[in-house]
Amino acid sequence: MIKINENFLKLQASYLFSEIARRVSDFQSENPGKDIIRLGIGDVTCALPLACIDALHKAVDEMADASTFRGYGPEQGYDFLREIIAKEDFQSRGADVAGDEIFVSDGAKCDTGNFQEIFSTDIKVAIPDPVYPVYLDTNVMAGRTGLYNDGRYDGITYMDVTRENRFVPDLPDETVDLIYLCFPNNPTGATITKAQLKKWVDFARQSKAIILYDAAYEAFIRDDSLPRSIYEVEGARDVAIEFRSFSKTAGFTGVRCAYTVVPKSCMAYTASGEEHSVHSLWNRRHTTKFNSVSYPVQRAAEAVYSAEGKAQVQELTDYYLKNAALIREEVSALGYDCVGGENSPYIWIDGNKDSWEFFDLLLKRAGVVCTPGAGFGRCGEGFIRLSAFNNYENVEKAMTRIKDALKV
Ligand code: PLP
């Protein structure tokens, strides 16, 4: 008899986005013709940068000719991309990362979800609340948790992210082995300073733990004092893995390209304390289960680092940040406390009321869709997330409607 992995039965139905869709659809059928503006989405809306489009076209032409055609590429990514990533994203900022420490993939979702596979199932995992759900659910699937009780899985060390800690989790007061951090954060939009990140790196070094650092929104950082990479912090190379993505940086959500940095000096241990290279383990896992990102897509990603590509990516992220600034300004003027929106495309708003009640209010009175914070974890209750991924005209219209709705 074939048996299932019963850990999958512990997973909660992905209730958030289906419930949002249901409420929006009910509202639409009760109010036919009413224009709805979606500020709930985490997907980009602008077209790809021209430099990437040109690179894609050129690479497709190469594939059309047997003399320049490419079949399977190296699983870890082509050297032309790995080298430019290492130089432009890390070495240029004083972070010591080499090209052969970069693993190119088709998404930070897969990488942040898969990385836990190389660690033992009996480790202690620390996860922020609220959180991008992938970190939590993949640990549930792997069997690192007990059952779901009162909004939380038994066995996980939850790190509360609240107004009190300005949306940067405090160090756990127990020993943990694997720590998930994400900055700029989804869903809160909060950022972390180098000094704060240093405390995490020191904590991980002391307990021989590893930090999985998700920097998918790094391209939105405008405050130069903030770290763009965890490797800007001394000692991080030995205890941190970093995930990056071209999805939000360059509009690649539908193109698919991302990468993970695994420094060669990062070590993990057997039960008896024997040291092993995390780079070797991940290389083994990646080359066994992944067969590289397509050549045209890697050429498109490479184009992000050309002079034109850099300018176009800056323009793209500036556009979303202008939306974010408007949302932040208007929401603050209405007297709501919020975080994010300055170095991030997300604004996390304290609604002073039940998340779903606030969601319904914005939908019914303003025709605007947000994401209820409670969907990201227990500490998200009372908050909503607004996203800047829309066009400026829609954001302006949405904010005018929200102002009218909340003044009532
Ligand atoms: N990490 C975070 C924090 C995200 O919010 C997202 C997407 O929304 C991802 C990773 C996924 O990125 P990718 O499109 O590269 O899979």
Side-chain angles (χ1 to χ4, degrees):
M1 179 180 71
I2 180 71
K3 290 191 190 156
I4 59 167
N5 173 353
E6 292 190 25
N7 294 310
F8 277 61
L9 303 179
K10 296 175 192 162
L11 290 166
Q12 299 306 293
S14 105
Y15 154 83
L16 178 63
F17 290 100
S18 55
E19 181 60 17
I20 292 175
R22 189 188 65 75
R23 291 188 191 212
V24 172
S25 150
D26 286 355
F27 177 76
Q28 260 170 336
S29 38
E30 285 156 22
N31 302 273
K34 175 100 187 166
D35 162 47
I36 290 176
I37 303 174
R38 290 169 201 275
L39 296 185
I41 45 167
D43 196 358
V44 292
T45 51
C46 296
L48 287 175
L50 257 181
C52 300
I53 294 288
D54 288 344
L56 270 174
H57 280 300
K58 198 163 154 258
V60 169
D61 287 342
E62 285 179 57
M63 299 296 267
D65 186 329
S67 67
T68 47
F69 171 81
R70 311 233 188 175
Y72 290 127
E75 289 98 338
Q76 302 89 340
Y78 284 104
D79 280 347
F80 65 75
L81 181 56
R82 300 172 87 197
E83 291 300 328
I84 195 132
I85 287 172
K87 179 166 165 271
E88 296 285 344
D89 284 348
F90 299 98
Q91 293 160 10
S92 70
R93 294 190 61 85
D96 177 18
V97 170
D100 61 0
E101 295 177 317
I102 310 278
F103 291 82
V104 177
S105 81
D106 62 358
K109 184 176 191 174
C110 318
D111 288 351
T112 54
N114 290 331
F115 212 89
Q116 48 75 30
E117 263 186 40
I118 65 171
F119 303 118
S120 166
T121 47
D122 63 2
I123 55 166
K124 191 86 181 148
V125 183
I127 295 186
D129 174 356
V131 74
Y132 175 57
V134 174
Y135 317 149
L136 187 57
D137 286 358
T138 50
N139 276 289
V140 175
M141 290 172 181
R144 288 196 188 88
T145 73
L147 294 178
Y148 189 74
N149 275 316
D150 196 19
R152 289 189 163 179
Y153 289 97
D154 295 335
I156 292 284
T157 300
Y158 284 90
M159 304 185 286
D160 289 356
V161 173
T162 60
R163 201 183 303 102
E164 286 65 42
N165 55 29
R166 289 315 296 161
F167 305 97
V168 175
D170 299 320
L171 299 178
D173 46 21
E174 58 182 320
T175 309
V176 294
D177 308 300
L178 189 64
I179 300 154
Y180 287 82
L181 293 177
C182 171
F183 291 102
N185 189 264
N186 177 18
T188 69
T191 51
I192 193 164
T193 65
K194 213 182 251 186
Q196 286 170 317
L197 202 47
K198 174 87 169 68
K199 286 190 187 154
W200 280 101
V201 168
D202 291 346
F203 176 77
R205 290 179 70 91
Q206 271 156 26
S207 41
K208 292 188 169 171
I210 280 184
I211 299 172
L212 298 185
Y213 190 73
D214 187 344
Y217 295 93
E218 155 281 329
F220 293 88
I221 295 177
R222 290 293 178 275
D223 177 344
D224 269 340
S225 70
L226 295 173
R228 284 172 169 246
S229 164
I230 194 165
Y231 305 117
E232 290 173 42
V233 174
E234 200 193 323
R237 272 186 60 84
D238 304 335
V239 290
I241 308 302
E242 183 164 308
F243 304 94
R244 295 268 188 112
S245 174
F246 294 96
S247 282
K248 314 296 160 96
T249 309
F252 272 45
T253 54
V255 176
R256 312 303 303 146
C257 196
Y259 66 86
T260 293
V261 186
V262 190
K264 289 191 173 161
S265 54
C266 185
M267 296 294 153
Y269 306 87
T270 61
S272 61
E274 195 181 277
E275 199 174 76
H276 284 266
S277 151
V278 173
H279 183 279
S280 300
L281 291 168
W282 184 247
N283 189 53
R284 189 70 176 86
R285 190 265 172 216
H286 193 74
T287 51
T288 301
K289 293 197 177 181
F290 189 67
N291 229 350
S292 85
V293 172
S294 78
Y295 173 69
V297 166
Q298 291 194 57
R299 280 293 184 201
E302 181 193 25
V304 164
Y305 300 98
S306 65
E308 312 81 71
K310 280 184 194 166
Q312 290 160 9
V313 160
Q314 171 89 18
E315 199 183 321
L316 197 63
T317 45
D318 278 349
Y319 181 83
Y320 294 128
L321 283 170
K322 187 175 159 206
N323 292 347
L326 178 64
I327 297 172
R328 195 185 153 89
E329 197 181 299
E330 298 288 11
V331 164
S332 303
L334 284 165
Y336 287 90
D337 200 10
C338 68
V339 61
E342 286 166 319
N343 297 283
S344 152
Y346 298 123
I347 299 95
W348 187 243
I349 302 159
D350 187 347
N352 277 320
K353 55 171 76 62
D354 176 271
S355 286
W356 282 104
E357 196 186 313
F358 202 20
F359 172 92
D360 284 335
L361 190 151
L362 291 188
L363 178 62
K364 290 180 182 160
R365 289 214 208 135
V368 172
V369 181
C370 67
T371 311
F376 298 100
R378 207 158 77 182
C379 294
E381 181 51 84
F383 290 83
I384 58 156
R385 187 192 76 177
L386 287 182
S387 151
F389 292 125
N390 209 312
N391 67 51
Y392 190 71
E393 294 68 37
N394 276 346
V395 172
E396 265 187 324
K397 207 188 323 172
M399 295 323 293
T400 306
R401 289 203 211 153
I402 289 177
K403 266 193 291 191
D404 292 345
L406 296 182
K407 270 186 203 149
V408 179

